[in-house]
């Protein structure tokens, strides 16, 4: 569900004094501001025509009062008191029509208005107050209706997305469409959890995020509008409109509606099993691995997410572990700064950020040893690329680590793996993984294993393929193969003979056995 963005500046339910004075009907009266010129941005909530000297007691604040001053003429004390009473009632401005009681702006009223900071406007030409009242009131009513309409439009769109179990990003995209500016969600430590809006504009915000974060607790201004994220008595983050170009009231409305939706989204589970922090890390690391977005463009996001990036060494790791939360716990326990994100089921990327004087290889090994020590036997495989001194090298490093992790996936039988597995440790298996999508390699595997892959209706081919896989993985160790398949040696010999017959090879011949082994590795790589 999408919503149409309404041009900024049209949904503010109030007009400023400056905007009223710019109306065509008002300009016909030749208005002149004779006092309080620094306060022309005060909001006008209503227009009130009144001649009574004590009109202030009838006001509730925000009114623009229109008067001819007929009951004030000749009494400077009453004139000053009239202005002061309007100021105490928090009137927006007073408009005095010249001609009937005053041929020129009265000094007493002008001085009092200057002291109070209340805009005093005089009209030099005769002007029907009814026309001004009608014009302003109709505009205010239309603006209030537009504000209510926008509020309901945004609420309906966001509620529809929540009902459809949409992810956090989709909700933020919707807010960004309405606000036409970057939208940022942070936790209480000012770390960026999610963003939305035009990519270049978001990147500009994130590049300066350290300064923005330091000022995040200060007063709003220049289009920076915050809305707190809180629920059940606990505050846990904030939503920010960054550089909103419309009026403050509309911006506040959009921010509040967005915050309400995000709180509800989080309370209902958010359409994801991951926390917003986890989703933020996942988005960043996935973009790094894919290479679709240049690494340099992702640096502001990494910095805003709390990852140290200045003068650091980055260690890309990919871990196969059925408990990704264990990785976060281990990092915290060891005090290692980094990002953790699940790329696919049971495959998690870890990007360590270390000081230049730290031993990257030793710390990676320490992390892997600690992680595997807390996991069940063979539950965690830690693959790594070499340390990256430059941020631009991180994507290639993550892809290399992922390749290494894939190369040892489900094929660890017979492999003596170190705590941290690197490209040099996966040998031929790693090369086959890289070439598995090559049509020539696929054709080679099909041709070499055709006798076992061809369906015979009995499933014997698959059983023999499993025996062949174990036999080659154990270095053609017949005793170990028989033990792993729980069969006798004579039974294993019969199966090996059947394999050789079906394939037309002699497994005792090194070159033929190597050819079959390569084909089997390629076949298995294509199945994963």
């Amino acid at each position: 569900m999408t919503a149409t963005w309404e041009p900024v500046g049209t949904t503010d339910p109030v007009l400023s004094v400056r905007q009223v004075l710019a109306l065509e009907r008002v300009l016909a009266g030749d208005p002149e501001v004779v006092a309080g010129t620094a306060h022309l941005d005060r909001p006008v909530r209503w227009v009130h025509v009144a001649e009574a000297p004590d009109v202030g007691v009838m006001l509730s604040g925000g009114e623009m009062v229109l008067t001819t001053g007929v009951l004030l003429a000749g009494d400077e004390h009453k004139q000053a008191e009239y202005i002061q009473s309007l100021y105490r009632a928090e009137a927006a401005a007073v408009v005095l029509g010249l001609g009937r009681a005053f041929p020129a702006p009265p000094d007493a009223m002008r001085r009092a208005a200057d002291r109070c900071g209340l805009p005093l406007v005089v009209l030099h030409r005769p002007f029907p107050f009814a026309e001004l009242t009608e014009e302003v009131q109709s505009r205010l009513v239309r603006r209030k209706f537009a504000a209510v309409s926008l509020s309901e439009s945004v609420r309906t769109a966001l509620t529809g997305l929540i009902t459809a179990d949409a992810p956090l990003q989709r909700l933020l995209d919707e807010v960004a469409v309405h606000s036409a500016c970057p939208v940022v969600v942070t936790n209480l430590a000012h770390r960026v959890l999610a963003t939305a809006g035009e990519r270049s504009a978001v990147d500009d915000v994130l590049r300066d995020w350290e300064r923005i974060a330091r000022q995040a607790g200060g007063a709003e201004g220049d289009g920076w509008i915050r809305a707190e994220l809180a629920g059940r008595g606990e505050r846990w983050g904030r939503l920010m409109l960054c550089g909103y170009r419309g009026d403050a009231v509309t911006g506040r409305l959009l921010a509040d509606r967005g915050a309400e939706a995000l709180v509800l989204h989080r309370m209902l589970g958010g359409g994801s099993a991951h926390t917003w922090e986890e989703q933020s890390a996942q988005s960043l690391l996935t973009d790094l691995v894919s290479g679709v977005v240049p690494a340099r463009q992702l640096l502001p996001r990494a910095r805003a997410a709390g990852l140290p990036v200045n003068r650091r060494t980055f260690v890309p790791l990919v871990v196969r572990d059925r408990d990704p939360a264990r990785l976060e716990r281990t990092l915290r326990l060891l005090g290692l700064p980094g990002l953790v994100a699940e790329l696919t089921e049971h495959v998690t990327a870890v990007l360590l950020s270390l000081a230049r004087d730290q031993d990257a290889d030793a710390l990676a090994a320490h992390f892997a040893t600690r992680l595997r020590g807390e996991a069940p036997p063979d539950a965690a495989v830690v693959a790594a690329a070499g340390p990256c001194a430059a941020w631009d090298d991180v994507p290639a490093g993550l892809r290399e680590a992922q390749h290494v992790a894939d190369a040892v996936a489900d094929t660890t039988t017979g492999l003596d793996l170190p705590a941290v597995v690197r490209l040099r440790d996966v040998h031929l298996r790693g090369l086959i993984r890289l070439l598995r999508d090559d049509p020539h390699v696929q054709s080679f595997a099909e041709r070499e294993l055709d006798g076992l892959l061809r369906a015979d209706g009995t499933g014997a081919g698959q059983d023999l393929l499993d025996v062949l896989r174990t036999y080659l993985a154990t270095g053609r160790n017949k005793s170990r193969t028989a033990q792993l398949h729980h069969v006798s040696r004579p039974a294993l010999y019969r199966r090996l003979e059947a394999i050789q017959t079906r394939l037309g090879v002699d497994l005792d011949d090194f070159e033929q056995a190597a050819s079959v082994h390569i084909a089997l590795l390629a076949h298995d790589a294509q199945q994963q």
Side-chain angles (χ1 to χ4, degrees), residues 26-34 95-100 102-105 121-127:
V26 179
L27 291 175
D30 193 13
E32 178 189 1
V33 181
V34 297
V95 178
L96 175 65
L98 300 180
R100 186 174 178 185
F102 297 100
V121 182
V122 296
L123 300 176
H124 290 280
R125 295 176 185 170
F127 183 82

Side-chain angles (χ1 to χ4, degrees), residues 124-136:
H124 290 280
R125 295 176 185 170
F127 183 82
F129 283 170
E131 290 188 12
L132 174 57
T133 303
E134 179 184 9
E135 176 76 9
V136 175

